[in-house]
Amino acid sequence: MKALRIYAGPAARKHIEQHGLRPQDVRTIPGAAGGPKGLILGPLDRFVFGRWLAQSSQPVHLVGASIGAWRLATACLADPQKAFERFEHDYVRQQFEVPPGQKRLSPQQLSARFAESLADFYGGRIGEVLGHARYRLHVVTSRGRHILGREGRARTPVGYLGAFATNSLHRKGLGAWLERCVFSTPGAALPFGTKDFRTRQHALSDENFNLVLQASCSIPFLLAAVHDIPGAPRGAYWDGGITDYHLHLDYQPADEGIVLYPHFQRAVVPGWLDKGLRWRHRSTSFLDRMVVLAPNADWVRSLPNGKLPDRKDFIHFANDAQARIGAWSKATREAERLSDEFEAWLATGGRMRDILPL
């Protein structure tokens, strides 16, 4: 049984038929929100950024939300293979001990611990990320508007209830409550169109980098929002996955290049609130030049507990952190097959019979 599935949009499929898939073809790499599910992509990340893309020299835009932003910022560090190894090690082994007298950590406590982790991981190395010779990083956050402009015990749930109801009717309606705020490598243009959704772009800097990354990972009600990020409008900033869960964006790669997407599933879902709206999971013309590398659903069922790692494991293994760490570690070891099979497919010249329609 194959672990890897390769899906391609029509323009990407035509490109591969004519040229194969070469590292110099890649113009954009997205990184989806999805929490621990992103761990399954570690071996692919190490191969793509550590070995394969190193054979080319063109600029590449990296567009990430939540854990996807954390992964792609890691790709910008010197020696990305070593950096991804540490990322995986630290993420798998994170533990959240609850102080005596509490049932669970508060959002503020979780956010404080996450801020410490980011400061430790990127401490003294932000310049490597922002000054990378080839990679242009774009971190997606969701900025609250009107009632969601500030976090509050009453206003936040009311605001998100309104956002959910409005989004169910029309995705653009979500823009009345939240807007897409992208923080980019200074001077980098966005590699996608923005007519689909209300969008702002701001520059990443030494001053705001950790706050931006924390905001992009701040799941509402689980972590606290990040307020008033330097270099951007005042307000509450939350997880970029709310507006752009899987970054279903109007990609416009330069020179008719390829959008290469290591992903943990086939569907590229627009926003977090669209998870239950199956009709929004279909491919569109936005993804015509995209190649998705995703695990085979049958192979996923062979992993511990028959699924990818996810946030529910923190609850399932609440009293046995070592069991969760063991399950996640086994899943990431098994994921080496994804990288091995992609490398083997490239060595064949990219056989068309292995590519499925996106």
Side-chain angles (χ1 to χ4, degrees):
M1 178 176 59
K2 291 285 188 181
L4 180 69
R5 288 286 181 264
I6 303 173
Y7 304 94
R13 188 180 181 89
K14 182 177 179 181
H15 178 101
I16 295 172
E17 189 173 19
Q18 294 176 345
H19 309 288
L21 182 60
R22 305 165 299 185
Q24 62 265 33
D25 296 330
V26 177
R27 297 294 181 272
T28 306
I29 298 180
K37 294 184 183 73
L39 289 171
I40 211 71
L41 304 173
L44 275 171
D45 287 338
R46 292 193 289 272
F47 170 71
V48 169
F49 291 105
R51 295 167 52 197
W52 190 58
L53 279 181
Q55 302 171 36
S56 59
S57 59
Q58 79 284 3
V60 181
H61 291 273
L62 311 181
V63 185
S66 199
I67 191 175
W70 196 357
R71 286 173 44 228
L72 295 178
T74 300
C76 298
L77 293 172
D79 194 349
Q81 285 183 283
K82 185 175 180 180
F84 276 119
E85 287 170 1
R86 180 186 171 188
F87 172 85
E88 180 179 298
H89 178 275
D90 291 358
Y91 198 107
V92 166
R93 286 161 181 78
Q94 62 184 319
Q95 298 186 50
F96 302 100
E97 295 184 8
V98 179
Q102 289 185 225
K103 292 184 178 181
R104 62 182 64 86
L105 292 176
S106 69
Q108 291 73 25
Q109 289 171 319
L110 280 171
S111 291
R113 295 192 183 186
F114 183 45
E116 292 173 0
S117 297
L118 289 176
D120 179 59
F121 192 87
Y122 292 103
R125 306 188 70 183
I126 295 173
E128 293 177 30
V129 179
L130 302 186
H132 198 282
R134 298 179 56 197
Y135 298 155
R136 314 292 185 256
L137 180 65
H138 306 271
V139 179
V140 180
T141 68
S142 302
R143 176 178 176 266
R145 304 185 66 228
H146 308 304
I147 193 174
L148 290 177
R150 285 291 179 206
E151 189 174 32
R153 181 172 297 181
R155 63 193 300 162
T156 300
V158 170
Y160 274 104
L161 180 62
F164 177 82
T166 307
N167 179 76
S168 297
L169 297 174
H170 198 287
R171 172 162 161 75
K172 274 194 173 182
L174 179 63
W177 307 87
L178 295 152
E179 62 184 5
R180 174 194 295 144
C181 278
V182 187
F183 291 81
S184 304
T185 298
L190 293 177
F192 52 85
T194 58
K195 293 181 179 180
D196 64 314
F197 196 78
R198 183 184 181 95
T199 303
R200 294 176 184 257
Q201 184 186 24
H202 309 289
L204 284 166
S205 67
D206 286 338
E207 185 181 12
N208 68 23
F209 178 84
N210 280 0
L211 291 172
V212 168
L213 207 53
Q214 180 171 343
S216 188
C217 297
S218 291
I219 304 165
F221 310 109
L222 183 61
L223 284 86
V226 176
H227 286 83
D228 305 335
I229 295 175
R234 291 172 58 82
Y237 292 78
W238 277 283
D239 194 314
I242 303 170
T243 56
D244 295 284
Y245 189 41
H246 294 164
L247 303 156
H248 193 125
L249 303 171
D250 184 11
Y251 291 103
Q252 300 173 356
D255 307 321
E256 297 188 338
I258 291 295
V259 179
L260 181 70
Y261 197 173
H263 193 16
F264 45 77
Q265 64 179 49
R266 175 183 182 176
V268 182
V269 181
W272 186 64
L273 299 177
D274 298 321
K275 289 193 294 183
L277 308 180
R278 303 295 296 182
W279 62 90
R280 292 190 187 168
H281 296 195
R282 296 190 295 267
S283 181
T284 70
S285 60
F286 285 7
L287 313 184
D288 280 357
R289 303 202 67 83
M290 178 176 285
V291 176
V292 171
L293 310 176
N296 177 359
D298 290 333
W299 173 79
V300 168
R301 285 188 280 272
S302 73
L303 297 176
N305 304 304
K307 64 178 184 60
L308 299 175
D310 61 40
R311 278 189 295 272
K312 293 179 181 178
D313 291 337
F314 285 112
I315 299 172
H316 180 73
F317 294 105
N319 299 317
D320 193 351
Q322 291 306 311
R324 174 186 58 77
I325 292 170
W328 285 11
S329 297
K330 183 176 181 181
T332 56
R333 288 195 302 271
E334 292 293 325
E336 295 285 351
R337 287 186 57 187
L338 300 173
S339 175
D340 292 344
E341 290 179 16
F342 181 50
E343 185 175 8
W345 179 79
L346 291 170
T348 68
R351 293 175 304 198
M352 292 302 297
R353 68 173 182 266
D354 296 324
I355 301 177
L356 301 171
L358 181 61

